[in-house]
Amino acid sequence: MSRDIIVQDIPPTVRSVAEIPDSWRPAPLPFGHAEVVAAVRELVPSADFTDRTWGHVLVGGADIEINVPDRPQLDYFALHIRGADDDAANRFVAQLLQRLGVRAFDVASDTGIFTAS
């Protein structure tokens, strides 16, 4: 299984992509590259950020790449998930989003927005 998660400013009250108003424009995220890397490493100390813009973690049976631009303020960052352990991947993503205080789009979700369930 493979899927992509895009972390971006999402209106707090919407429950699906269809509810996002056409006039809505995302704000920059309230953090940058360093905060994403620190949050990932808090969750998975063995996270590999040898390439500053492409982190890599293994959680359970999931292989997750984190594409995070090397900037002090971000508009987005992405997680690319491969593997069969959806539960482990979802736990990691949910914990990361919670630590950073943001939401994300999930191309595999029926609503288009990531939920941990």
Side-chain angles (χ1 to χ4, degrees):
M1 167 81 73
S2 175
R3 73 186 218 248
D4 297 317
I5 307 285
I6 309 300
V7 180
Q8 185 178 348
D9 177 42
I10 299 173
T13 59
V14 301
R15 298 287 170 237
S16 76
V17 170
E19 294 177 10
I20 298 174
D22 290 340
S23 61
W24 174 73
R25 298 292 174 255
L29 296 171
F31 51 79
H33 176 272
E35 291 83 3
V36 174
V37 172
V40 169
R41 285 192 168 140
E42 286 175 17
L43 295 169
V44 182
S46 63
D48 178 3
F49 278 92
T50 304
D51 179 336
R52 289 183 54 79
T53 61
W54 281 97
H56 182 250
V57 299
L58 293 172
V59 291
D63 183 350
I64 303 173
E65 292 180 316
I66 302 110
N67 174 226
V68 56
D70 190 3
R71 295 189 204 128
Q73 186 169 40
L74 300 172
D75 293 320
Y76 71 93
F77 71 94
L79 300 134
H80 308 285
I81 301 168
R82 289 166 190 74
D85 195 344
D86 282 338
D87 291 338
N90 286 343
R91 277 191 305 277
F92 171 78
V93 172
Q95 290 172 342
L96 181 62
L97 296 178
Q98 182 178 8
R99 283 180 187 266
L100 295 170
V102 291
R103 298 174 72 199
F105 295 106
D106 181 351
V107 298
S109 167
D110 291 340
T111 65
I113 296 177
F114 175 81
T115 57
S117 54

